[in-house]
Amino acid sequence: MTGKVSVQANRNKDEVELASGYQTSVYKDSALSLPQKFELANAISWTTGEFTFKDTPLLEVFAVIERHFDIHLSMKKRLENLTFTGRIKNSDIIYALNFVSLASGLKYDSVNDSTFVIY
């Protein structure tokens, strides 16, 4: 949240210095991307028991939900062009799925306790 860090990829001697609110990525060839600005509040919102998204691709939102709740989501509808903005409590899977689905005009069904179908 404050300060700077230096990032160096394993096989590459290139180094990137990141100030607060900036990120980098390491590519398969161990090259580092240029620093990119990101929404700091979104990145740390999990520490307050919620996820915060701003114009985030819906597939990315669902990927976060899958990882956090250790579930599998099967998409029966194309979602590539949809984005989501909002805050979701990260303590209840049903709440999270209801909130995102309702806001996105989608529905979901439970296959079992750990698998859901989005349509």
Side-chain angles (χ1 to χ4, degrees):
M1 293 178 59
T2 62
K4 292 182 180 181
V5 296
S6 182
V7 179
Q8 184 177 18
N10 265 349
R11 298 180 192 147
N12 198 327
K13 294 188 180 194
D14 292 340
E15 192 171 303
V16 173
E17 186 174 279
L18 301 173
S20 178
Y22 284 84
Q23 66 184 5
T24 188
S25 298
V26 179
Y27 298 107
K28 287 182 182 178
D29 64 358
S30 297
L32 293 169
S33 69
L34 294 174
Q36 302 164 342
K37 191 145 182 68
F38 73 99
E39 214 37 65
L40 187 59
N42 294 356
I44 64 167
S45 65
W46 65 272
T47 63
T48 60
E50 61 188 16
F51 297 120
T52 303
F53 301 99
K54 183 177 180 184
D55 294 325
T56 305
L58 198 52
L59 288 173
E60 187 177 320
V61 172
F62 283 135
V64 168
I65 290 172
E66 281 182 308
R67 279 192 307 273
H68 180 75
F69 292 105
D70 193 22
I71 62 166
H72 175 70
L73 299 175
S74 176
M75 308 303 162
K76 297 296 181 189
K77 189 172 184 179
R78 296 189 61 100
L79 306 176
E80 287 83 9
N81 297 324
L82 297 177
T83 60
F84 177 80
T85 298
R87 282 192 175 134
I88 308 166
K89 293 179 189 174
N90 67 13
S91 58
D92 183 337
I93 180 60
I94 300 304
Y95 173 86
L97 288 174
N98 281 336
F99 192 89
V100 175
S101 296
L102 182 62
S104 305
L106 299 170
K107 294 181 181 182
Y108 73 93
D109 282 325
S110 172
V111 175
N112 56 45
D113 288 344
S114 63
T115 304
F116 298 84
V117 176
I118 308 291
Y119 58 96

